[in-house]
Amino acid sequence: PEHHNPMELFASTAVYEQDGKLTIYDKTQGAHNSQLYVSQVFNLPFRDVRVVSPFVGGAFGSGLRPQYQLFLAVLAARELKRNVRVSLTRQQMFTFGHRPATVQNIALGAKPDGTLTAMYHDAYAETSRFEDYTEVVVNWSGILHKCDNVTLDYNLVPLDVYSPLDMRAPGGVTGVPAIETAMDELAYRLGMDPLELRLKNYTDYDDAQGRPFSSKELRECYRQGAERFGWNNRNLEPRSMRRGRSLVGWGMATGIWEANQMPARAEASLGVNGRLLVQSASADIGTGTYTIMTQIAADTLGLPVEHVTFRLGDTDLPVAPIEGGSWTAATVGSAVKLACEEVGRTLFRLARRQPGSPFAKMKFEDVFFAEGQMRLKTAPSAAVPLVDLVRLNGGRAVRETASSIPNLIQHKKYSRNVHSAVFAEVEVDEDFRTVVVKRVVTAIAGGKVLNPKTARSQILGGVVWGISKSIHEESVMDHRFGRFMNHNLAEYHLPVCADVHDIDVIFVEEHDPIVNPLGVKGLGEIGIVGVPAAVANAVFHATGKRVRDLPITLDKLL
């Protein structure tokens, strides 16, 4: 098991209003989720509970559920009829849930040429006595590689522990490393290059669901990642590469995650001063939600980004789902785009009504927005500033609200996933068996990339976390008491700057008109899922010793 450890601790401030209403400032990935929780637990009307969370800090799953400091703050505020803040200590951060431990069994069968003929993957995962907490652990094996005979099984084991909780790429970063380590073992048994084995069993069809992928540029991820890494220079034999007193290993793995879209609402309001305000009750946990929503709105209405303001994290705003599952860009972004398009339609109707308007006999599809103007596609010189059109609205802002709903018909026809290929180099000290990840190259096929800088940051963070999972991170339990013992940042090992070396991120071009109106796929979690296996496979290549129990610590290599 592993635990979340965002730098800033969980805290909730409950402001008690004179009329008994509550305004709550909470560290949460879903303001409406916390509002729903408080309303139901304390039997309060929704309108009497407002949750505000414009800035969250680190979360990545730890803030999906309301944690118990929220309950305690509200309980005390209502009892005392005054404002109350409850903050958790660092040790208490180890008490509200963890990434569950699993025991997984995998068997693979293949022809001598590497063609997979059979696959078995089961998982036993922990849960609490009072809740069946589940994750998608084994399903990835059925869609990653072409194989006609697949058996998957998943079992829960109730233990005397608190319920596990979502932690970046829940289930995926647990199950994918298992199957990708097994694939590496199979490659060595066959005497094949691990990349060649994956290409041999490549598929553009999801056999588990019986449908094609909406898009899949994984083959190009393999090619570009291998080329950038220099994979062709790899010696196949373990313990065959050295650098001074260190054994050098190269490993690779595949990554996969879902490309989902959820329902959401957004409001866009263009003022008489030409400034656009866009609002939706989403969250930003450092992923760049503020930035990309501003960009989407500005692009849709042809405005400078400095003329656009995006607000989020408030239950007074249009409803949005929790910020999780790597679906925020597709979900809230689609709603923002629709709301801004509705504003554009209203502006177009206002323009058509004016005497002698060049837009009078045109359709909305005949115009576009650029540089703060609405223009005709056939005659771009026929343009009118948006501020002039807003003034035609009786001096009021043009305000529209829109809901974005996934295209369920399309989604039933196609499997929607984001893919990655990860290549890692490790050095293992021959005497002390310490492992250092020297470099990682990861190639991502994630649809349209809205902002290369924030997208790259997401992948960098995911890779660091993947390195952490592979060689650092572990919660150690005393089974006599059911208590995690290393409940501090001194003994819960996390990578520091000296542990993180070169990380190279490649975004492979991928066009997907099916996945959502923006053609984007979430990047929050794909960065981590393939890394632990790539590192573990590199450690085997360096040492000749296969460690299947993460993290790979030096004692396991002695």
Side-chain angles (χ1 to χ4, degrees), residues 267-273 275-277 301 339-350 386-401:
E267 179 189 272
S269 176
L270 185 63
V272 292
N273 58 357
R275 302 280 174 160
L276 180 67
L277 174 64
L301 285 175
C340 292
E341 286 176 347
E342 288 302 311
V343 168
R345 291 179 187 276
T346 300
L347 295 173
F348 177 68
R349 288 193 292 269
L350 290 170
L386 300 188
V387 290
D388 292 348
L389 294 175
V390 177
R391 295 190 184 105
L392 300 175
N393 196 40
R396 303 183 307 274
V398 174
R399 178 178 289 106
E400 298 291 344
T401 302

Side-chain angles (χ1 to χ4, degrees), residues 322-354:
I322 53 176
E323 200 272 15
S326 297
W327 60 51
T328 297
T331 297
V332 181
S334 296
V336 166
K337 180 177 174 63
L338 280 176
C340 292
E341 286 176 347
E342 288 302 311
V343 168
R345 291 179 187 276
T346 300
L347 295 173
F348 177 68
R349 288 193 292 269
L350 290 170
R352 290 185 66 187
R353 296 173 189 162
Q354 301 311 301

Side-chain angles (χ1 to χ4, degrees), residues 38-105:
V38 170
S39 298
Q40 291 185 336
V41 169
F42 293 96
N43 196 26
L44 297 171
F46 279 4
R47 63 180 178 275
D48 290 351
V49 181
R50 180 189 178 195
V51 177
V52 182
S53 184
F55 304 105
V56 182
F60 289 95
S62 60
L64 292 180
R65 300 178 173 212
Q67 305 302 350
Y68 60 80
Q69 87 287 337
L70 173 60
F71 170 82
L72 295 173
V74 173
L75 178 71
R78 297 188 72 223
E79 196 69 23
L80 300 173
K81 294 182 171 49
R82 60 175 296 174
N83 305 341
V84 174
R85 174 181 295 152
V86 177
S87 300
L88 299 186
T89 65
R90 178 58 63 186
Q91 291 198 348
Q92 289 168 338
M93 295 288 287
F94 286 80
T95 63
F96 59 69
H98 54 277
R99 191 194 297 280
T102 63
V103 175
Q104 300 179 58
N105 301 289

